[in-house]
Amino acid sequence: MNFDLSTRSVSTAWICLGLFILGAAIVLRTTAPLFAYEAPFASMPLLSMVTFYVTATAVLVFTLPKLIVQTPGQIAGKLLIFVLLIGLVARVAQFGTPTIIEDDYNRYLWDGAVFAIGESPFQYAPLDVLESTVGSPELRALAQQGEHVLERVNHPEIRTIYPPVLQAVFALSHILAPFDLDGWRAVLLLFELGIAGLILRLLGQLNRSPLWLAFYWWNPLVLKEIANSAHMEPVLMLPVLLASYLILRARPVWSSACLALGAGVKIWPLLLCSVVWRENLRQFRILIAVLLATGFICLMVFLPVVTSNLDESSGFVAFAQNWKASSAAILVSEWVTGIFVSQPDTQATAARLLLGIALLISIALICYRPTEDSHKILHRVFLVVCAIYLLSPSQTPWYFVWIAPFLCIFPVRGLILASVLLPLHYLFFFLVLHDQEQLYRHGVVWVIWVPVWALLMFDFLHPRSASLRATDGAM
């Protein structure tokens, strides 16, 4: 094919950006041993890591939209192959490396092992098993086999927080490669390939360039949190995106069923059912079918959780009561409730209740007007996911993977900016090392979220301008 100068220049720009992302993946791989579990925090290059992480993400998100718009359609197919290949190589490059300042995968590996031998991870806390105070002979033998993993499970006094569908995926990883981080990474890679395929199908349904996939597939935040740190979010997002695709294809029963399965990974996809149900209020038979399918799956999924002892040692109870990280929303909520409530425990509960009420009101406003436009329904799904994340007590970088696939379809500027600033979350460990934890909670958190909320508010007040920018791909 003969390329004119502009086409050749665009192709060169794509190659340069792709090589930059591949270089970032190599840096991630080569520096990971410096953050090994045994390494002391004082020796870890935390500031360098955060600086690199922010810079690499900024280069991608501030370059990619204009590059996509300038790419001629006749070369989009070949460039898509290049995008897929670079992202795949960048992920495979993380195999064999230690995770960077993350150890959640140890809980995954232990839960999967327990589930695989037919025991319930909802019944015993890892610490109890480690101390040989509970469990069957098979469970104690498993503890000896996986002692190197069991000893590193964080919050070992708490029973698992992960629902049964996710436990089944953990068990699959254990069956394929017992107590092996790379085995878990291989499972995650399969789920990410499924996510990439669904993003492409969604983009095709919306007549958008398939190259928008790079917003997820090349994102350094996603590469670090999934390929390196091995967080489980791809297992969650695959059913959520499949439900989104089924919404575009006007399949309410199947989309609700997928969301119910997603709730078996993390509970919040159930809130997305409100979008589907809202559009079928006047179609009684369809609504009944949707409710029955969702209810049956939820009953099967959550029965082991409900029948477990939901006391203070339950991960579900502990998360609902105590978990918070990098969230400006919870800080604001605590300040508001602190005006009326003086007792710390009551204030913490009231703050979470206030965020819950704000979320329900947000969902009601999003779903208030009926529509039969499947594109608008998909947009409402995106808005509800954003509300769940933005009003969550925990807004960690890996939770941002809930939003990242949707940014390929709805490139909201404020959320794109969030992907650049969220790596500042890891300054927490540097500041704790220097006895400056409060500087993080009341300084860094605002540095992350004030610009994001300001840009979101600006675009909300100027929707015409924001819409044009989202359409033409400009930042």
Side-chain angles (χ1 to χ4, degrees):
M1 182 182 293
N2 295 322
F3 298 106
D4 57 29
L5 181 60
S6 61
T7 300
R8 186 177 292 112
S9 299
V10 168
S11 299
T12 301
W14 273 103
I15 292 172
C16 290
L17 185 58
L19 292 177
F20 173 81
I21 295 302
L22 189 57
I26 293 171
V27 170
L28 198 62
R29 176 182 177 83
T30 55
T31 58
L34 301 175
F35 298 89
Y37 187 89
E38 302 82 4
F41 270 117
S43 68
M44 294 180 182
L46 293 167
L47 288 180
S48 298
M49 186 273 286
V50 171
T51 302
F52 166 77
Y53 196 3
V54 170
T55 302
T57 308
V59 169
L60 177 78
V61 302
F62 293 130
T63 303
L64 195 57
K66 291 182 179 179
L67 186 57
I68 292 172
V69 171
Q70 295 171 4
T71 301
Q74 65 267 27
I75 63 171
K78 291 185 176 181
L79 286 176
L80 178 60
I81 296 173
F82 176 71
V83 167
L84 289 168
L85 182 61
I86 290 292
L88 181 60
V89 172
R91 283 162 170 78
V92 173
Q94 307 313 311
F95 280 64
T97 64
T99 58
I100 295 178
I101 324 182
E102 295 296 343
D103 59 3
D104 284 357
Y105 71 90
N106 290 299
R107 171 78 73 164
Y108 308 162
L109 298 181
W110 172 248
D111 279 5
V114 173
F115 204 77
I117 66 168
E119 296 281 352
S120 172
F122 305 105
Q123 189 171 0
Y124 304 120
L127 183 61
D128 295 332
V129 179
L130 185 63
E131 295 177 347
S132 300
T133 60
V134 297
S136 64
E138 292 80 8
L139 191 60
R140 290 195 290 272
L142 189 70
Q144 292 181 349
Q145 178 189 354
E147 186 176 11
H148 63 290
V149 168
L150 186 55
E151 289 178 340
R152 296 180 177 184
V153 172
N154 58 31
H155 303 288
E157 73 284 358
I158 296 175
R159 289 175 286 132
T160 189
I161 190 177
Y162 302 112
V165 173
L166 184 55
Q167 295 292 342
V169 180
F170 292 161
L172 172 64
S173 172
H174 181 78
I175 293 169
L176 295 175
F179 296 112
D180 184 57
L181 173 58
D182 282 344
W184 171 241
R185 281 178 169 143
V187 171
L188 289 176
L189 180 57
L190 292 176
F191 275 87
E192 280 211 281
L193 288 170
I195 287 172
L198 285 169
I199 291 173
L200 289 174
R201 294 300 295 268
L202 287 166
L203 290 170
Q205 287 286 310
L206 297 171
N207 295 317
R208 301 201 64 189
S209 170
L211 296 176
W212 281 102
L213 172 66
F215 235 81
Y216 174 86
W217 197 239
W218 282 7
N219 196 313
L221 182 149
V222 176
L223 288 174
K224 190 273 175 190
E225 301 303 336
I226 307 304
N228 172 268
S229 296
H231 286 289
M232 45 63 57
E233 264 56 37
V235 185
L236 168 69
M237 293 313 298
L238 185 66
V240 170
L241 289 172
L242 180 56
S244 301
Y245 176 71
L246 291 169
I247 286 172
L248 278 182
R249 300 301 300 268
R251 299 289 189 272
V253 176
W254 286 105
S255 61
S256 289
C258 285
L259 291 174
L261 284 175
V265 179
K266 280 194 175 180
I267 297 174
W268 65 255
L270 274 181
L271 294 172
L272 299 178
C273 289
S274 59
V275 179
V276 179
W277 298 346
R278 172 65 182 87
E279 306 313 323
N280 292 281
L281 288 179
R282 297 181 180 180
Q283 302 181 58
F284 184 73
R285 291 183 178 179
I286 295 178
L287 182 61
I288 291 298
V290 166
L291 292 175
L292 287 176
T294 306
F296 177 77
I297 293 173
C298 286
L299 178 63
M300 294 297 99
V301 165
F302 289 107
L303 190 60
V305 177
V306 174
T307 55
S308 67
N309 186 17
L310 294 176
D311 59 15
E312 296 297 322
S313 69
S314 168
F316 295 93
V317 174
F319 185 88
Q321 291 180 345
N322 303 315
W323 249 257
K324 60 180 181 180
S326 300
S327 173
I330 192 65
L331 293 179
V332 172
S333 186
E334 287 175 344
W335 176 78
V336 171
T337 54
I339 298 173
F340 306 99
V341 180
S342 58
Q343 296 182 350
D345 291 343
T346 306
Q347 180 186 349
T349 301
R352 290 171 181 271
L353 180 61
L354 181 60
L355 285 183
I357 293 172
L359 176 59
L360 293 177
I361 292 173
S362 299
I363 294 174
L365 292 174
I366 291 168
C367 301
Y368 176 71
R369 294 182 181 277
T371 179
E372 296 181 357
D373 187 332
S374 59
H375 293 188
K376 291 182 179 179
I377 298 174
L378 177 63
H379 187 246
R380 290 180 176 182
V381 170
F382 166 65
L383 292 177
V384 172
V385 173
C386 292
I388 292 169
Y389 180 74
L390 293 172
L391 294 174
S392 170
S394 296
Q395 295 171 344
T396 57
W398 55 95
Y399 284 0
F400 191 78
V401 177
W402 305 349
I403 294 176
F406 288 101
L407 292 181
C408 302
I409 304 163
F410 307 107
V412 176
R413 299 190 307 163
L415 298 174
I416 291 171
L417 178 61
S419 70
V420 176
L421 297 176
L422 273 168
L424 297 177
H425 162 85
Y426 290 102
L427 289 177
F428 172 81
F429 301 97
F430 177 82
L431 293 173
V432 167
L433 186 65
H434 293 85
D435 297 320
Q436 297 290 331
E437 182 176 346
Q438 291 304 311
L439 179 59
Y440 173 82
R441 298 190 184 281
H442 301 289
V444 175
V445 171
W446 297 113
V447 171
I448 296 172
W449 288 108
V450 167
V452 171
W453 278 104
L455 188 53
L456 288 172
M457 185 60 66
F458 178 85
D459 284 346
F460 177 77
L461 296 175
H462 301 82
R464 185 179 182 84
S465 174
S467 176
L468 287 172
R469 286 169 179 161
T471 301
D472 67 12
M475 289 296 298

